[in-house]
Every structure is written in structure tokens, then in C-alpha cells.
Amino acid sequence: MLRTLFVLSEMAPYSKTGGLADVGGALPLVLGQLGVDVRVLLPYYGRPALHDLRWCCTVNVPYTGETTELWSLAERPQVLFLRYPAYYERDGSPYQDAQGEDWSDNDRRFASLNRVAVEIAQGRVSGLNWRPDIVHANDWQTGLIPYLLDLESRIGATRPATLFTIHNLAYQGRFAPSAMAPLHLPAADFHWLGTELYGAFSFMKAGLTYSDQLTTVSPTYAQEIQTSAFGMGLEGLLQTRSAHLSGILNGIDAIHWNPGADPYLPAHYSLQDRLGKAQCKSQLQSSLGLYPDPEVFLLGMISRLVEQKGTDMVLDILPDLLRRGMQVVVLGSGDKFYERQLLEMAAAYPAQMATRIAFDEGLSHHIEAGADAFLMPSRFEPCGLNQMYSLRYGTLPIVHRTGGLADTVTDADDFRHPSQCNGFVFDNPQSDALHHAVLRAEALFRQPALWSHLQDQAMAGDYSWQHSARAYFQLYYEVLARRAGGHSAPPARH
Ligand code: ADP
Ligand code: GLC
């Protein structure tokens, strides 16, 4: 049985700031169902309660003198929480303090996670009695793992294969070059073919340089990041690694995001019977103080409020949308400037607009169900999960044609693929293009038969992990075969 150590910095439902957590909460489970012996390693930020966990063993982090502990879930023993309270059990998010500033010791915090992953990878954690064939690392917080394992090879040790998944190239884990020495990393590797990125020491660069295989979370983003427009300065490196870079689209947790059984919804519905969706809309309107009208076109948005997500474009067009009588609900948090403007708009139009600056899982489900259409005008979007939740909930997404949005949403007017039309897509990440798309959407909303047909197609799509988990499974074997210099194939039944 193939053994995989899956390492990441957040995992739903225990810790979550974005889609990475959703991937962590779903993909390993499906890989397990496919027959992979997968263990997940992530920091313990205080949830779940310790009394719901089982102590496994201690791990001494090489060089630092830190004594960490591994704890596992009783019902899911394959999830390993790395406990080191001084680093991870703090008020704030996994990456930032309560004021929204990055923790100043993020290099040491995540280096510690990476070092422990390597101890497990090298079979040096005796309490576990387990060693992986492949380490699957995710985003910059785990970028040192492939590098540290490369260092192991350099001293003649055997090591597992490494696969590094880019969830967002914009976050690069950049630190001062002087951060390498306290982490006991050789200064000789600080160069443009090593860990150096425009004068900084970068965890992301280390992952991209030293991993055996790279993936990202949609086929379109895999192409985009090899261009200067999307490569964030790493396009050159990614071009040289293109033979070992592919895009595998994320799936969704179809049990957690199911309008037919979602515990956060006031009513349930399905493709065959959407009556409950109207109830979700009216309850959403009343609970947020909006004018209760089933005929009004209601737009939802759930997002980190940052430039990536096109929040500024939404702000540009809001006055006109509200003037036309539409309703808009925004749930999110991020840049204070955007937060303030969205709150001001809601205060000016209380019967039409609601802004909630919060991270609210229940409300996010209710918005997905209660809105008619979903705004996601991201400038770039490696995959994006909210547009897929929207599709599943019959809430038609309005998206910019980029990354995973381009790979999952087909424009209502795309006559070449009539059976796939499921939303609204615009080409230029500019306010007027978004504006035009929203007006097109509203016009179709006024034609109930056409709208309902699009909802049918949206809800009928397969957004599950099955296909993509198989693609990872296949890739694990390919990487192992490449390292072994042979051609081992996965078992035929897969
Ligand atoms: P990203 O990871 O770039 O933020 P994704 O679309 O991949 O974007 O995933 C975002 C995830 O975080 C989704 O599950 C979304 O519902 C959730 N989310 C984002 N903001 C909030 C919020 N304010 N409250 C609740 N959930 C949120
Ligand atoms: C990142 C990306 C998002 C993607 C998520 C999970 O946060 O911004 O597009 O869906 O990771 O892969």
C-alpha cells in the first residue's frame, strides 16, 4: 500500500482561513478510500479540544531544542496534530496576530512543522513506526520540506519522493536572508537556483526548486503561472520545471456542501425540487434586514476582501446595482479599506445591502443557498471553491475567466458548449466588464425558464473529489516510478 504524508498549515473543520483548509479536510479522506495509506500532519492551534485527542509521541526538532508532541484524533488516527503551544496556540489566525500583522516568527514556526515532517519522512519518529513513500507538501508553509529532504540525499540518506502543491503563488513565505542561519540551513544554497527570490529567502521558492513534482490546483492556473502576468516573479523557474508541473482541479466536500442536507439551511432542496431555495432566500433577506421580495435579484459574495478577489471592482459597480434595485450580501474580512467601504454602502442602503465582516461558516452556507447569483470577479484564482459551492447550490456564479474559475464555469452565452452553460464569465478583470456580466445575469434571471435551465446544469455538474483524487493517486505512482528509474503502474483496479 502506498504511504503518503500530507502536510499543510490548516485543515477544516479544525482550522480554516481559506480553501486550503477545505482541501485538507477532503482530499486525504478520498485518497484513503482509493487505497492510499495517508497521514496528515498540521499544527495544533487549539482545536479540537485536547481531551478529544490521543497523545502519540514526542518529537525533538533537530538543532532547535524544541520538544514537540504529536496528537491524533481518536476517530481519524491518520490526522497528526503537531503541538507546540508557544508557536501555535495563540490568539489570532494561523499566520497573523489579532491586528492582522504576520507573526514575526513565522519562519521559525513553520520551519518547525517542516522539520517534524522530515523526521517522520525519514522514519526517525519511533513512536509512529511508519515511514511514507511520498511527502505531499502544500503551499509556502511547507516549502522547506522538499529542500530539507534534498539535504538528506546530499549526505547519502535515502528519502521519500516529494510532491509540492501550489495553492496560491502570491504568498511566498519571504524572509530576510539572515533567517537561514538560525534555521541551520546552509548559506551556500542562498542563490537563484536555490532558496533565493529577489534578494529574499523564500519558503515557496525552496519548495518549487527542490520538489520532485509540482502541481497546482487547476489546469488553467498551471499554464498561467508560467507567464509574467501570473507568475509573481517565479515564472522563469516554473517554465524550467514545466515537465514536472501539472494542474489538478480541486473538488468539493460533497457531504458538507449539499443543499439537500445542509444543517445550516432553513430549508433543503435539490435539483429536482428547488422550492426550498426560495425559502432560503426569504429567510436570508429577513435575517439580514433586507426588503423581503422574492422577485428581487440577490447577489452573494463570500471572500477574503483583498485585491486578488476583485473587491475593488465590486465596490465600483455597487452604487449602480443598488440603484437598479438589486440586493447584495457580502460576507468577508480582509483589507480595512474595503471593509469600511462595504460597511458604508450597507449603511446607506440597509434594505438592499448587508455587509458582515466576520468569518461565519453558517452564514456562508446560507448565502450560497439564498442568493440568486454569486460574485467572484477574482483577478487570479488558482482554483476557487466558492464558485463550485455556488454551482452545487444552484446559485449561478459570475466570474472572471481565470484559473479554476475558467475551468469550472461556462458562460450562459457559450453556444459551442450549450449543455455546459452554468454561469457568467467575463474576460477583462475590469469593473465595466463585471458590470456588463451582472446586467446580463439579471436579464436572464427575468426569464425564469432559461434561468432554471442554467440552474439545472449548474446543479447537475460533478464537483466531487473522485476524479481529481485519482489524478493525484496516478501522479504519486508516476513520481515514484521516475525516481526508481522504472515504470511502476498503480494497481489495475484503479
Ligand atoms: P481562498 O482560499 O483564496 O480564500 P477559495 O474559494 O478556495 O478561496 O476558498 C475560500 C474558502 O473560505 C471557502 O470555503 C469559503 O466559503 C471560505 N470563506 C472565505 N471567507 C469566509 C468568511 N468570511 N466566512 C466563512 N467562510 C469564508
Ligand atoms: C488558495 C487559492 C484558491 C484555492 C485554494 C485551495 O487559497 O487562492 O483559489 O481554491 O487555495 O486550493
Side-chain angles (χ1 to χ4, degrees):
M1 192 185 233
L2 182 87
R3 291 176 301 262
T4 299
L5 178 64
F6 193 92
V7 193
L8 78 177
S9 56
E10 55 181 87
M11 177 182 173
Y14 313 109
S15 48
K16 170 164 165 176
T17 71
L20 175 63
D22 296 16
V23 173
L27 173 59
L29 265 182
V30 185
L31 286 169
Q33 288 157 8
L34 291 178
V36 180
D37 175 7
V38 56
R39 312 267 162 113
V40 184
L41 174 71
L42 80 157
Y44 176 70
Y45 302 107
R47 282 185 58 213
L50 272 188
H51 58 73
D52 289 331
L53 295 176
R54 199 167 46 86
W55 182 87
C56 295
C57 54
T58 58
V59 185
N60 294 316
V61 181
Y63 303 113
T64 65
E66 295 155 7
T67 301
T68 64
E69 295 173 352
L70 291 177
W71 292 67
S72 70
L73 280 168
E75 76 276 18
R76 279 180 72 185
Q78 70 278 31
V79 180
L80 297 169
F81 290 95
L82 174 64
R83 183 153 199 247
Y84 193 71
Y87 277 163
Y88 309 122
E89 286 164 65
R90 300 174 173 178
D91 291 336
S93 90
Y95 320 115
Q96 296 180 329
D97 63 22
Q99 281 68 49
E101 294 295 324
D102 287 352
W103 295 112
S104 60
D105 56 354
N106 271 346
D107 51 345
R108 279 173 286 138
R109 296 173 70 232
F110 290 107
S112 194
L113 171 70
N114 289 218
R115 288 272 184 200
V116 170
V118 168
E119 292 307 286
I120 297 172
Q122 296 302 80
R124 294 193 287 252
V125 179
S126 49
L128 283 186
N129 196 19
W130 183 87
R131 190 178 177 186
D133 304 300
I134 187 157
V135 182
H136 186 161
N138 295 275
D139 265 358
W140 75 261
Q141 295 85 356
T142 60
L144 293 188
I145 297 172
Y147 172 40
L148 292 169
L149 285 170
D150 187 73
L151 292 176
E152 297 271 334
S153 305
R154 292 187 216 169
I155 56 166
T158 57
R159 64 159 177 92
T162 49
L163 186 150
F164 182 76
T165 297
I166 304 161
H167 294 263
N168 195 331
L169 204 56
Y171 300 92
Q172 302 177 336
R174 290 160 80 123
F175 301 96
S178 58
M180 280 184 74
L183 299 179
H184 297 268
L185 300 172
D189 289 329
F190 186 70
H191 56 77
W192 70 289
L193 295 174
T195 62
E196 187 262 354
L197 180 60
Y198 297 99
F201 156 53
S202 160
F203 277 44
M204 173 66 87
K205 173 85 181 267
L208 299 182
T209 303
Y210 293 103
S211 193
D212 296 319
Q213 178 73 35
L214 304 175
T215 64
T216 186
V217 287
S218 69
T220 294
Y221 193 60
Q223 297 306 315
E224 288 174 339
I225 54 178
Q226 297 179 52
T227 67
S228 57
F230 293 91
M232 307 275 169
L234 285 155
E235 60 275 11
L237 169 60
L238 291 165
Q239 284 160 19
T240 63
R241 300 230 50 198
S242 66
H244 297 144
L245 164 65
S246 57
I248 300 176
L249 196 68
N250 287 335
I252 66 171
D253 179 338
I255 294 175
H256 191 60
W257 291 94
N258 173 10
D262 188 330
Y264 293 114
L265 302 187
H268 292 139
Y269 60 96
S270 63
L271 170 59
Q272 290 75 25
D273 176 4
R274 272 195 289 275
L275 224 57
K277 185 163 172 57
Q279 227 173 306
C280 291
K281 178 173 176 178
S282 72
Q283 289 255 359
L284 184 67
Q285 288 170 320
S286 60
S287 66
L288 295 175
L290 303 181
Y291 185 71
D293 181 353
E295 301 300 323
V296 76
F297 188 48
L298 175 63
L299 294 156
M301 179 171 182
I302 302 159
S303 182
R304 293 185 288 117
L305 301 173
V306 295
E307 202 200 351
Q308 174 196 343
K309 301 290 181 180
T311 316
D312 51 325
M313 292 184 238
V314 173
L315 278 163
D316 282 348
I317 68 167
L318 262 179
D320 185 68
L321 304 186
L322 296 170
R323 212 168 28 242
R324 288 170 184 270
M326 298 182 202
Q327 293 184 342
V328 182
V329 174
V330 180
L331 167 66
S333 62
D335 288 357
K336 300 293 163 224
F337 176 73
Y338 295 141
E339 291 183 356
R340 210 173 32 247
Q341 292 204 57
L342 288 164
L343 286 168
E344 279 169 17
M345 286 303 287
Y349 293 85
Q352 280 177 268
M353 171 149 186
T355 301
R356 292 290 179 274
I357 304 300
F359 199 93
D360 187 333
E361 181 77 19
L363 182 57
S364 77
H365 286 243
H366 196 175
I367 294 172
E368 287 292 6
D372 297 304
F374 191 85
L375 289 171
M376 203 156 167
S378 311
R379 288 195 163 73
F380 68 93
E381 195 59 79
C383 179
L385 295 171
N386 273 121
Q387 84 281 12
M388 290 194 269
Y389 302 149
S390 302
L391 291 165
R392 186 112 207 272
Y393 280 59
T395 301
L396 302 186
I398 302 173
V399 305
H400 169 217
R401 194 186 310 280
T402 187
L405 301 175
D407 292 339
T408 51
V409 184
T410 303
D411 190 83
D413 287 341
D414 188 340
F415 296 115
R416 288 160 308 161
H417 305 103
S419 64
Q420 288 164 28
C421 298
N422 58 9
F424 303 88
V425 188
F426 59 94
D427 283 296
N428 296 319
Q430 279 158 4
S431 312
D432 53 352
L434 169 63
H435 188 223
H436 184 63
V438 175
L439 297 189
R440 275 199 300 133
E442 198 204 10
L444 265 183
F445 178 71
R446 301 286 159 221
Q447 303 182 57
L450 286 179
W451 188 262
S452 176
H453 176 68
L454 289 175
Q455 285 182 305
D456 284 346
Q457 299 203 150
M459 294 183 77
D462 176 6
Y463 313 104
S464 74
W465 267 106
Q466 294 309 319
H467 181 74
S468 297
R470 269 172 221 280
Y472 279 111
F473 184 80
Q474 182 81 32
L475 195 56
Y476 290 163
Y477 274 94
E478 280 172 29
V479 178
L480 288 174
R482 199 167 73 231
R483 288 198 77 232
H487 296 283
S488 79
R493 70 190 174 87
H494 298 291

